[in-house]
Amino acid sequence: MIPLQTDRLVLAPLGAGDLNAFVAYRRDPDVARWQSWTPEFNAEDAGRLLEGQPADFPPPAGEWLQIAVRDAASGALLGDVAVHTSADQPDSYEVGVTVAAEHHGRGVAREALGAVVVALFDDHSAHRVTATSDARNAAVARLLTRLGFRHEGRAVEADWFKGEWTTLDSWALLSRER
Ligand SMILES: CC(C)(COP(=O)(O)OP(=O)(O)OC[C@H]1O[C@@H](n2cnc3c(N)ncnc32)[C@H](O)[C@@H]1OP(=O)(O)O)[C@@H](O)C(=O)NCCC(=O)NCCS
């Protein structure tokens, strides 16, 4: 159930008030490098994304939901957590996370993604939560390891992504592994 509250953060649906901060960190080349969008991401793209957001957490089968991660004290948007509900398997979810570069290294992703993962397991009976990362992305590998995800596999040069063959790591956490 969102909003979710942690020590320092509030996780809630992304809203129109988040648009400028959301576009700003998506345009950062060091952030976009690892994600599906490019530094050309603009306000129109963000508007379309916000309009197409499902209302529910977890989202309906086959859909992605981006959840705003806000500083509890100031309300500032620090990043977002993405959740996808599998259309193929029951109680199975994929997650992703983005934090604005100026807030990296403060444990924001750990606190935010950790809260979403706990909510999926404890409040929504998740069986399995997965994530996929570029094998060169040391930050997300560390983050997922910290949160207890198991490194399930590596698909070597399996994905033609942004003009090069990219090696993908897959990660998973089962309810019974927590
Ligand atoms: C990955 C990302 C979300 C991490 O956010 P963050 O808020 O800085 O992460 P945290 O501060 O919660 O750190 C979590 C762990 O990762 C480690 N970490 C963070 N940045 C790191 C880096 N650049 N290199 C190595 N480890 C790093 C932290 O030390 C911490 O590990 P620890 O608990 O053992 O000390 C952030 O770097 C980001 O948004 N990157 C761009 C988008 C992206 O790659 N998203 C993931 C795509 S799957």
Side-chain angles (χ1 to χ4, degrees):
M1 190 64 81
I2 55 175
L4 288 171
Q5 176 97 39
T6 69
D7 286 349
R8 296 178 296 166
L9 308 171
V10 175
L11 280 69
L14 269 175
D18 296 313
L19 203 118
N20 288 346
F22 184 66
V23 170
Y25 66 70
R26 282 200 160 204
R27 291 178 70 86
D28 179 342
D30 291 333
V31 167
R33 174 181 178 202
W34 308 111
Q35 301 284 29
S36 57
W37 63 86
T38 70
E40 283 72 47
F41 187 87
N42 60 32
E44 267 183 24
D45 299 324
R48 273 194 298 273
L49 187 147
L50 290 188
E51 270 174 31
Q53 284 290 283
D56 298 329
F57 171 80
E63 292 189 38
W64 281 96
L65 171 68
Q66 312 282 142
I67 304 165
V69 176
R70 301 204 183 90
D71 182 285
S74 69
L77 184 72
L78 308 181
D80 61 87
V81 172
V83 180
H84 178 258
T85 302
S86 173
D88 303 322
Q89 303 294 339
D91 303 320
S92 299
Y93 302 93
E94 182 176 354
V95 291
V97 58
T98 304
V99 172
E102 61 268 35
H103 301 294
H104 284 179
R106 292 173 42 213
V108 170
R110 188 174 168 192
E111 195 167 318
L113 185 59
V116 167
V117 168
V118 166
L120 287 171
F121 283 120
D122 290 355
D123 303 336
H124 299 283
S125 307
H127 164 65
R128 186 169 183 264
V129 178
T130 62
T132 302
S133 66
D134 185 316
R136 295 167 296 185
N137 190 343
V140 79
R142 185 80 201 154
L143 168 70
L144 293 169
T145 303
R146 264 287 179 196
L147 291 175
F149 281 72
R150 181 166 32 77
H151 183 227
E152 277 206 319
R154 172 163 288 185
V156 177
E157 294 185 18
D159 189 32
W160 182 253
F161 182 67
K162 300 190 175 179
E164 60 181 339
W165 286 111
T166 300
T167 295
L168 296 179
D169 280 338
S170 50
W171 304 84
L173 181 58
L174 296 173
S175 175
R176 66 173 170 77
E177 291 175 316
R178 300 166 65 225

